[in-house]
Amino acid sequence: YLLTQKYVASVYFERGVRAFNRDGNVDEAARLIEKAATVSSLDLYVRFLADISLFRMNRALTASPPGGSAESLRSEFQNLLGAALESARQAVAHNPTNYENFLTLGRVYEAVVPLKIAGAYESARASYEQAFTLNPHSPALFLTLARLEAAKGDNGKAREEIARALAEKGNYTEA
């Protein structure tokens, strides 16, 4: 029974990823991946739901308000932020030893750092630091910290983090 359950969930997840990547259908992707998360509890599924919410947040910020209402855009953004945070927190709760879950939670907070939301930088930094303790030799984590510092506006500290990434892996192309 459990094997069948996991298989069905993986089929829903695969269809959701395909709907997102190939068809660009974000709503269908979210619906299918939510089904996968309901059928079988796996941190990967809720992490992907957080990423979908982040995608929707970015799309909402770049779009003009539907119907011309800034209030409806603000409400939609707050709902999407809440959904992204909830999904990322579920992933962390499901598997607190997986550094990728903390990276996802950090990315959600980082997305609102430029908007100067109180506590967003500190929460993102704490999530990234936790990811770093679980995976201390990843140059990608240093680069992630550099991106966070740049979003905060501290380019000097961002350069320091990039230097740490290059010290960890001298040929790290992204840095």
Side-chain angles (χ1 to χ4, degrees), residues 80-92:
L80 291 170
L81 177 59
L85 282 171
E86 178 60 28
S87 294
R89 287 178 182 149
Q90 282 179 9
V92 168

Side-chain angles (χ1 to χ4, degrees), residues 58-71:
N58 288 332
R59 189 173 61 186
L61 284 176
T62 58
S64 60
S69 171
E71 185 58 39

Side-chain angles (χ1 to χ4, degrees), residues 57 71-85:
M57 283 171 45
E71 185 58 39
S72 66
L73 178 63
R74 182 177 302 121
S75 176
E76 178 187 3
F77 182 81
Q78 288 173 338
N79 290 338
L80 291 170
L81 177 59
L85 282 171

Side-chain angles (χ1 to χ4, degrees), residues 101-168:
N101 295 334
F102 287 98
L103 277 176
T104 299
L105 183 58
R107 274 197 319 271
V108 172
Y109 284 117
E110 180 185 346
V112 296
V113 166
L115 302 176
K116 309 273 192 257
I117 294 178
Y121 169 79
E122 293 79 10
S123 297
R125 182 89 189 178
S127 295
Y128 289 151
E129 291 292 340
Q130 184 61 36
F132 185 72
T133 61
L134 295 170
N135 189 5
H137 297 293
S138 173
L141 293 177
F142 291 116
L143 194 59
T144 300
L145 288 170
R147 190 181 63 233
L148 175 64
E149 295 300 335
K152 183 184 172 198
D154 191 346
N155 292 334
K157 203 156 190 184
R159 284 187 189 96
E160 289 175 21
E161 295 296 345
I162 290 171
R164 289 174 63 190
L166 290 171
E168 188 66 42

Side-chain angles (χ1 to χ4, degrees), residues 19-83:
F20 185 79
N21 288 334
R22 188 185 70 191
D23 305 333
N25 190 340
V26 179
D27 295 331
E28 179 68 5
R31 186 186 70 75
L32 288 167
I33 293 171
E34 284 173 2
K35 267 185 149 178
T38 302
V39 171
S40 178
S41 178
L42 195 60
D43 59 338
L44 171 66
Y45 302 155
V46 288
R47 255 195 340 258
F48 202 91
L49 286 173
D51 289 337
I52 287 175
S53 293
L54 281 173
F55 176 81
R56 286 175 165 169
M57 283 171 45
N58 288 332
R59 189 173 61 186
L61 284 176
T62 58
S64 60
S69 171
E71 185 58 39
S72 66
L73 178 63
R74 182 177 302 121
S75 176
E76 178 187 3
F77 182 81
Q78 288 173 338
N79 290 338
L80 291 170
L81 177 59

